[in-house]
């Protein structure tokens, strides 16, 4: 018997996790992220020693100076303020919108994306705890300007009194890591010919975090490497496994095949009624 397979009905509905559970899970992960990140505060001397090491390493491997990017931003107040605003306002809302859109429109990719982001963030937190790093805006050797403080808006206060963020957690840059995952996730989950334009978001984020002196080039490189590792551990459900299937034998096709088989049989002789009677 020939059969065909077709996707099980309501695959998307089955793949979408409960909304309340996901909200509590994501909110809980965010609170854990903020709490653990604050544990890395207070390592000022170590953070500055590491900053000098990173700066010297970048010069040793001939990475382009971060000052080149900042000099482009400082050509106009509007441009540098726009960069500061992008840094301050896009990071969390864009990532949240990305997850919400996947949950509603591409639930088969949502769980994968959330797991990758969680793995990336967990790895970043370990790095923040083990390798505190002062950003280039704090390091006099860089000669860079703290554009947030000078031009505004700024998301950071004084490191000594800031109780909301850990300013010595520059490496890796989750600004860049999350932006890159957003682009990767949307490229995987969509089929538009223009979907590759989503890569402009991490590219712009990279220029912003470097130009505002909040991160070194190496912060973004390490974030990309951690994301590559997280992606290697898990792939989108829609790409790695075939959807649930069931064997279906359509009644219409079965009837059609029966009729075709009957048409191929040789015709049977038809006996006349009189001969039938005589033969009895």
């Amino acid at each position: 018997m020939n059969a065909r397979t077709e996707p099980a009905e309501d695959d998307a509905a089955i793949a979408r996790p409960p909304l309340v559970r996901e909200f509590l899970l994501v909110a809980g992960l965010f609170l854990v992220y903020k709490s653990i990140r604050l544990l890395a505060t207070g390592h000022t001397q170590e953070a500055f020693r590491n900053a000098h090491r990173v700066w010297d390493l970048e010069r040793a491997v001939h990475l382009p100076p971060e000052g080149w990017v900042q000099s482009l931003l400082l050509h106009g107040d509007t441009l540098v303020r726009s960069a500061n605003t992008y840094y301050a306002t896009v990071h969390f809302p864009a990532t949240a919108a990305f997850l919400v859109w996947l949950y509603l429109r591409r639930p088969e990719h949502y769980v994968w994306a959330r797991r990758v982001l969680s793995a990336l963030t967990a790895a970043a937190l370990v790095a923040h705890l083990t390798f505190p790093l002062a950003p280039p805006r704090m390091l006099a050797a860089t000669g860079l300007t703290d554009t947030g403080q000078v031009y505004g808006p700024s998301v950071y206060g004084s490191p000594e009194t800031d109780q909301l963020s850990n300013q010595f957690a520059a490496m890796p840059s989750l600004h860049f890591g999350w932006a890159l995952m957003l682009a990767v996730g949307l490229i995987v989950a969509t089929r538009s010919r223009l979907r590759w334009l989503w890569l402009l978001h991490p590219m712009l984020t990279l220029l912003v975090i470097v130009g505002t002196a909040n991160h070194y080039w190496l912060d973004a490189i390490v974030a990309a490497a951690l994301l590559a590792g997280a992606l290697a551990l898990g792939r989108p459900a829609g790409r790695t496994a075939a959807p649930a299937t069931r064997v279906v034998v359509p009644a219409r096709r079965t009837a059609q095949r029966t009729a075709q088989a009957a048409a191929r049989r040789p015709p049977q002789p038809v006996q006349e009624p009189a001969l039938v009677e005589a033969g009895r």
Side-chain angles (χ1 to χ4, degrees):
M1 178 184 296
N2 293 328
R4 67 182 178 90
T5 60
E6 68 178 19
E9 296 178 359
D10 298 329
D11 282 340
I14 295 174
R16 183 179 293 117
L19 177 60
V20 175
R21 189 193 74 182
E22 286 303 304
F23 176 79
L24 294 176
L25 177 60
V26 173
L29 290 174
F30 176 74
L31 292 176
V32 170
Y33 159 72
K34 295 295 288 186
S35 300
I36 294 179
R37 188 170 178 176
L38 288 175
L39 293 177
T41 59
H43 302 281
T44 304
Q45 293 183 353
E46 184 180 0
F48 277 97
R49 284 195 299 268
N50 289 334
H52 283 285
R53 295 189 184 106
V54 168
W55 184 255
D56 292 341
L57 176 60
E58 287 191 345
R59 308 291 74 78
V61 298
H62 303 292
L63 286 177
E66 285 83 350
W68 288 3
V69 181
Q70 186 170 93
S71 64
L72 296 175
L73 296 182
L74 295 179
H75 277 304
D77 289 358
T78 301
L79 186 59
V80 68
R81 288 196 182 100
S82 298
N84 290 334
T85 301
Y86 192 93
Y87 179 85
T89 62
V90 173
H91 177 48
F92 282 110
T95 307
F98 165 64
L99 290 174
V100 170
W101 186 85
L102 284 182
Y103 182 87
L104 296 176
R105 302 296 299 273
R106 299 292 189 274
E108 67 276 15
H109 291 91
Y110 164 77
V111 174
W112 161 74
R114 189 247 293 153
R115 288 174 178 170
V116 170
L117 279 173
S118 298
L120 169 63
T121 305
L125 288 175
V126 173
H128 294 163
L129 290 171
T130 58
F131 191 78
L133 180 65
R137 58 186 167 82
M138 293 184 183
L139 191 63
T142 66
L144 296 174
T145 300
D146 186 344
T147 61
Q149 290 294 334
V150 175
Y151 298 93
S154 176
V155 295
Y156 302 116
S158 171
E160 293 78 14
T161 60
D162 190 354
Q163 300 297 319
L164 299 177
S165 61
N166 174 20
Q167 298 190 45
F168 299 128
M171 180 181 290
S173 168
L174 283 178
H175 266 75
F176 180 73
W178 287 10
L180 185 57
M181 179 55 201
L182 185 152
V184 170
L186 290 175
I187 289 171
V188 170
T190 59
R191 293 293 179 269
S192 170
R193 294 181 179 179
L194 300 178
R195 67 186 185 278
W196 295 98
L197 292 177
W198 285 110
L199 289 173
L200 293 175
H201 175 51
M203 292 172 61
L204 179 58
T205 300
L206 177 60
L207 294 178
V208 164
I209 63 175
V210 170
T212 57
N214 282 293
H215 287 283
Y216 307 89
W217 293 115
L218 280 177
D219 298 341
I221 293 173
V222 172
L226 292 178
L227 177 60
L231 289 170
L233 295 177
R235 298 179 181 176
R239 297 292 181 88
T240 57
T245 58
R246 57 177 177 174
V247 177
V248 179
V249 182
R252 180 181 298 178
R253 181 170 295 184
T254 302
Q256 183 180 10
R257 289 174 178 168
T258 302
Q260 291 174 351
R264 287 194 294 267
R265 295 196 192 101
Q268 299 295 325
V270 180
Q271 295 179 320
E272 297 181 6
L275 296 179
V276 175
E277 291 293 333
R280 288 183 179 177

